[in-house]
């Protein structure tokens, strides 16, 4: 049984960790929110620290709000890097910047640790259902090694390039999403000014986009 450490049990992280437990992995968890930790321990996880995980698991997943939070658990004397065994794979599934992802990958090499940047798309419903789309940046061999882990939380998993490419793909995805939102807003303003019933208009758009 492969062992996974999961750090960051927020809206996305908690259901993702739960899906990994259900997929048959041995999962250790950490979060400053002890309620979230207790919830997953009740589901079969083990409470742990970043340093303890680094010494004992095969993979560590971080799902945190920003690069500074990822850095706080990776670096320092109590962090993952300083306590890791050779061969550990660190998968950051947070939405951070490409330069941060590349910097973490370079730092990890000093400790003989492999990393992947693997942000997700699909939101909380996708995290709960285990159907997230995952954009991965890193080495091909590390990706192959980590694929069963990704398949425990996602459906569409693609290696898009080297380190930093996963988060770059996520940024591109967000540009597309935001453009669609802006276009929808402009369309509704146009319809409203023309005297069209907005509620009916939104209903039509929803049916068209769901096809």
């Amino acid at each position: 049984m492969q062992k996974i450490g999961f750090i960051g049990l927020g809206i996305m992280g908690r259901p993702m960790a739960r899906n990994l437990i259900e997929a048959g992995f041995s999962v250790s968890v950490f979060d400053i929110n002890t309620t979230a930790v207790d919830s997953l321990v009740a589901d079969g996880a083990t409470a742990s620290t970043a340093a303890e995980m680094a010494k004992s698991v095969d993979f560590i997943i971080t799902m945190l709000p920003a690069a500074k939070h990822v850095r706080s658990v990776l670096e320092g004397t109590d962090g993952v890097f300083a306590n890791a065994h050779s061969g550990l794979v660190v998968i950051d599934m947070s939405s951070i910047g490409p330069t941060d992802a590349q910097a973490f990958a370079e730092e990890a090499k000093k400790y003989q640790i492999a990393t992947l940047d693997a942000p997700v798309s699909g939101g909380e419903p996708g995290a709960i259902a285990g159907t997230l789309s995952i954009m991965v940046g890193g080495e091909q061999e590390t990706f192959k090694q980590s694929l069963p882990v990704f398949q425990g939380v996602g459906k569409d998993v693609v290696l898009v390039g080297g380190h930093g490419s996963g988060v770059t793909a996520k940024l591109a995805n967000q540009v597309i999403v935001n453009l669609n939102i802006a276009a929808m807003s402009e369309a509704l303003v146009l319809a409203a000014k023309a005297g069209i019933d907005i509620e009916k208009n939104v209903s039509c758009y929803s049916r068209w986009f769901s096809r």
Side-chain angles (χ1 to χ4, degrees), residues 30-184:
F30 173 77
D31 195 283
I32 58 174
N33 181 351
T34 56
T35 300
V37 172
D38 292 343
S39 171
L40 285 164
V41 167
D43 290 330
T46 301
S48 188
T49 66
E52 290 168 345
M53 290 177 188
K55 296 173 183 177
S56 61
V57 303
D58 303 299
F59 301 89
I60 287 181
I61 295 173
T62 51
M63 188 56 154
L64 296 162
K68 65 180 181 180
H69 303 107
V70 179
R71 185 175 294 107
S72 71
V73 299
L74 295 183
E75 301 177 354
T77 56
D78 294 326
V80 170
F81 289 161
N83 294 280
H85 62 84
S86 176
L88 175 68
V89 176
V90 175
I91 304 171
D92 179 40
M93 305 190 80
S94 318
S95 293
I96 64 174
T99 55
D100 291 308
Q102 291 165 354
F104 292 145
E106 286 300 314
E107 183 68 16
K109 287 180 182 178
K110 300 175 185 178
Y111 299 89
Q112 297 182 321
I113 302 170
T115 65
L116 296 170
D117 48 284
V120 303
S121 179
E124 184 181 7
I128 293 171
T131 57
L132 294 167
S133 295
I134 306 173
M135 298 146 275
V136 187
E139 301 293 334
Q140 176 77 31
E141 191 58 38
T142 308
F143 173 74
K144 288 182 180 178
Q145 181 183 352
S146 307
L147 191 56
V149 177
F150 289 131
Q151 290 171 336
V153 296
K155 184 177 180 182
D156 299 314
V157 186
V158 181
L159 179 66
V160 295
H163 296 294
S165 297
V167 289
T168 300
K170 177 61 183 290
L171 287 172
N173 178 73
Q174 292 305 104
V175 169
I176 295 170
V177 170
N178 289 331
L179 284 173
N180 283 335
I181 292 172
M184 174 71 82

